[in-house]
Each structure stands twice: as structure tokens, then as C-alpha cells.
Amino acid sequence: MEKYSTDVFLTSVLGEKVAVLCGAQGNKMIFTNDGKLVTPWLPLSLRKIIIPDFDLDSSYIEGVSLFHNIQYDLLKPEALRQYIPVMDAMARAHLRDDGWKPHSTVKAQPLINKYIFELACRLFFNVTDPESMQRISRPFAPMRNGMMSLPIDLPWTAYGRGIKAGKKVREEMAKIVEARREERGGEETDLLSKMLELKDEEGKCLSVNKIVSFFVGLMVASYDTTASAATSVVFFLAEYPHVYEKVLKEQKTIAKSKAPGEKLTWEDIEKMKYSWNVAREAIRLVPATPGTFQEAMADISFAGFTIPKGMKTLWTPHSSHHNPEYFPDPKKFDPSRFEGSGPAPYTFVPFGGGPRICPGRTYAKLAMLVLVHNLVTMFRIEKVIPHEKMISGFAATPSHGLHLHLYPH
Ligand code: HEM
């Protein structure tokens, strides 16, 4: 930005020329011109790993729009209400049985990752036994690493390993989908049961292959992002005791209003106003994703430059989230920025915007707040490494895994 322009600059990503848009105007241009001036674009390596038959399956594009609608239906707040007690029970069980112990030190990041992964396995396709979850989670990391690498398919490259791991993930998911289809009429309350009921335009059920693509895409879109965001919130709670105290006060009031063992509800989540401001400030300072790519559908005039038809673009939350014009003293952790009318339009964009805005944003909010509720009401937390940093990458992560001392109340 300093070298070329604060609005847009050109760079190269995985061998592609990419125009990077910086700031609210760029965000607005992308979010309001989906399907008119820009269309979503995924790097080849990502496409080939998530959807290996992408180039072969001409119905894929229709599939994408079908998925688009399904995502919004399955992940809207009304549909997610029923999952809050399940999330609450899982968060409690995780903090009770999975390595978090009073008067001990834990490496929080891998534990939060595990919890978020298990939550998705339960809520997406009702898989809860540790072995089945491991069969999906083990190849998941190499699959994800391959998605953001140069597409050179050799056994020792990240891409080659990613392709192999992606096949493994798909095979495991296909087994789950097929087994459930055989069961028919089960009582499960998960996304898979809803997917199996769906029919395409010809009234036919979706193929196993399409359902698997949907779930691999959903896991990729949801896992690292939500785990990163939840970790950031805990990171800042441990960093700023005065913020932790205010969150604890809010969460204690909610806990006291409930009978012993009673699970959290949507109404409780709505009362978590300060905690949600803290979570939003965490993902302002450390966005969980680096943004998304598009392709210009026509020559685009923007900020005195021309982005030619066919060129790839990237909008990124980092540039507007750290701009002092939109967020005074941008490095300061200050949840009060979200009070009142909050940030100006197109400046706070952790979930994107326009018709492509992240359909999982309410799921992510619930997952974060349910974890925060249970964590702060169970433990006081203190950082072991005081100057640890959050590092941005595919998803932001703490540089040393966020070691925490845990104390009982
Ligand atoms: C804090 C966590 C999350 C963050 C920061 C995040 C961020 C994003 C962003 C920036 C986009 C691109 C939006 C655009 O192009 O304008 C996106 C898309 C998407 N997200 Fe999320 N996301 C999160 C969690 C989730 C979860 C939990 C799910 C699913 C349960 C999910 C599912 C998706 C899907 C399916 C898309 C593609 C939508 C489309 O192209 O139509 N995300 N997300």
C-alpha cells in the first residue's frame, strides 16, 4: 500500500496476478458487484483438492448455486437455535474432561481446535465417536496445507500430499453419508439429515458425491476460521484482565438466572452483548481469514486504475480493520468501538459482505460465545508467555499455541 496506492495494488499469489483492494471503497465495490463486475474465484490447488471433479462435472456451477441456497437455509438463526443446548453440553464436557484442569497449565489453541472440530462433526453429520472423528481430522491438516500451495502434483510436495489427504477425507465422509442414507428415517438433528431430504430441480435426491463436496467445503470454510476466532477471543481475555472481569460479570448474571444444569438458549446469547463486542474486537484486530478472491467479469475502473477483465482480485479485512481513519488508535483493544451504531459500513468485514457474506457467521458467533460462557465461569486464565503474538496466515494463530495457567473461581 505504501509503495503503490492505499486503494489498490498489484501482486502475485500462487502464480496468479492479483489486484488487492484495500479499504472500505474496495470492499463495497466487491460486495455490491457480485455477478455483475466480479465472480468468485478459487486458486486451482484449492479447487482441485475440495472438488476433484470440478473440471469434469459441468453441473458443478449449478451445484454451487444450489449449495449457496442450502447454506443460507441450514445456517440461518432459526435453524441454529436448536443447536445451542448441544453446543453448551459439548463445551461443558470439553472443559471438564479434555485437559482443562484448575491449577494446571494448558496449551489452549490445539484444545480449542479440537473442540471446534468435534462440534462440527456432531452438528454437521452427528459423528461423535473419537475414532471416526480422528479418521477425518488426521488427513484434514495436510489437505488444508495443500490447498494454499503451488499446484505441483508430486508425492513430496504440499499439493501432492494435499490431493492424497483430500481423497481420504472425501472417502471417510462418503462412508458417513452412505451409512446414513441406508438408515433412512433416523432421528438425527444435524445438517446431513436435512441435506438427505433435499431434491434437485428434477425431484432427485442429491448424489453422495455432491453431498460430500458440500461437507468438505463447509468443513474447510468453518473449521480454521471459527477455531482461529475462538482462540483470538481467549487470547485477548487472557491479555486484558479488566476485559475478562466485565465478561465474567455478564456471564455470571446469565449463569445465575438458570437452574442447575439448564442449558443456554438463544435468549441467553442475546444477553451476551459485551462479550460479543469483545469477540468482534478480537476478530477486528486479528481477522480469521485473509479475505477471498474474485475474477473481474469486465474491465473495472477503480480509484483511477483499470482492473482488466479476467484479472483476479482479493479484498482483505486486514486493511480496513487497521485503518486509523475507520478505527482510531487501531492497535488498541477497545470493545466499546462496537457500542451504539458501531463501525461505518464496509469497514468491519470479518465475514465479508453482500450476497456472498459468510452464511456461517451466526454459527461462529454461537460457537464462540458458548465457549466463552463456559470458560470464564469455570476458570480464571493467565498467559504463560506474556508477549505472545497472533500470527496471520491461512487463519490467524497464536505464535506459541497460547499456554494458559488455569485457576478455579
Ligand atoms: C469466525 C469464523 C468465520 C469467519 C471469519 C468466516 C469468514 C468468511 C468469509 C470472509 C467468507 C467470504 C465472504 C465473501 O466472499 O464475501 C466466508 C464464506 C463462507 N463461509 Fe465463513 N467464516 C467463518 C465461519 C464459518 C462457519 C462456521 C461456516 C459454516 C458453518 C462458514 C461457511 C462459509 C461458507 C459456506 C462460505 C462460502 C459462501 C459462498 O460463497 O456463498 N463460515 N466466510
Side-chain angles (χ1 to χ4, degrees), residues 362-395:
T362 308
Y363 176 108
K365 173 180 175 177
L366 298 176
M368 282 191 264
L369 290 179
V370 168
L371 180 69
V372 165
H373 173 83
N374 284 289
L375 182 68
V376 300
T377 50
M378 276 191 201
F379 302 111
R380 291 201 166 273
I381 53 179
E382 190 184 277
K383 273 188 183 170
V384 175
I385 306 169
H387 301 297
E388 185 168 9
K389 291 202 162 38
M390 290 294 293
I391 312 274
S392 291
F394 185 78

Side-chain angles (χ1 to χ4, degrees), residues 82-156:
Q82 56 173 318
Y83 297 135
I84 300 171
V86 184
M87 286 181 171
D88 192 18
M90 284 187 71
R92 278 185 210 186
H94 171 73
L95 292 167
R96 198 187 48 225
D97 308 326
D98 229 347
W100 303 78
K101 292 205 172 46
H103 303 293
S104 73
T105 299
V106 290
K107 193 172 179 183
Q109 185 214 357
L111 290 179
I112 295 174
N113 283 6
K114 182 168 180 276
Y115 162 69
I116 297 292
F117 198 87
E118 290 179 359
L119 201 60
C121 288
R122 163 64 187 87
L123 299 180
F124 293 175
F125 28 78
N126 202 18
V127 165
T128 50
D129 75 288
E131 259 182 44
S132 305
M133 283 191 286
Q134 272 208 356
R135 278 202 297 275
I136 309 173
S137 74
R138 225 177 284 125
F140 203 83
M143 175 181 85
R144 190 191 45 212
N145 293 343
M147 289 183 321
M148 280 297 162
S149 60
L150 282 173
I152 301 167
D153 189 3
L154 293 168
W156 59 86

Side-chain angles (χ1 to χ4, degrees), residues 297-311:
M297 297 165 77
D299 287 355
I300 302 173
S301 296
F302 179 75
F305 297 90
T306 300
I307 302 171
K309 182 178 177 196
M311 180 173 275

Side-chain angles (χ1 to χ4, degrees), residues 68 71 124 221-222 225-226 229 289 292 350-353 356 358-360 363-364:
H68 192 76
Q71 283 153 9
F124 293 175
S222 68
T225 47
T226 312
T289 68
T292 56
F351 296 107
R356 300 250 157 223
C358 171
Y363 176 108

Side-chain angles (χ1 to χ4, degrees), residues 30-31 40 64 67-68 71-72 75 124 191 214 217-219 221-230 283 287-289 291-294 315 317 349-361 363-365 368:
I30 296 291
F31 300 156
V64 168
F67 290 163
H68 192 76
Q71 283 153 9
Y72 284 85
L75 296 168
F124 293 175
L191 295 193
F214 171 79
L218 206 60
M219 288 297 277
S222 68
Y223 168 57
D224 282 298
T225 47
T226 312
S228 162
I283 53 175
T289 68
T292 56
F293 295 103
Q294 287 72 33
W315 67 268
V349 288
F351 296 107
R356 300 250 157 223
I357 192 167
C358 171
R361 62 197 186 284
Y363 176 108
K365 173 180 175 177
M368 282 191 264

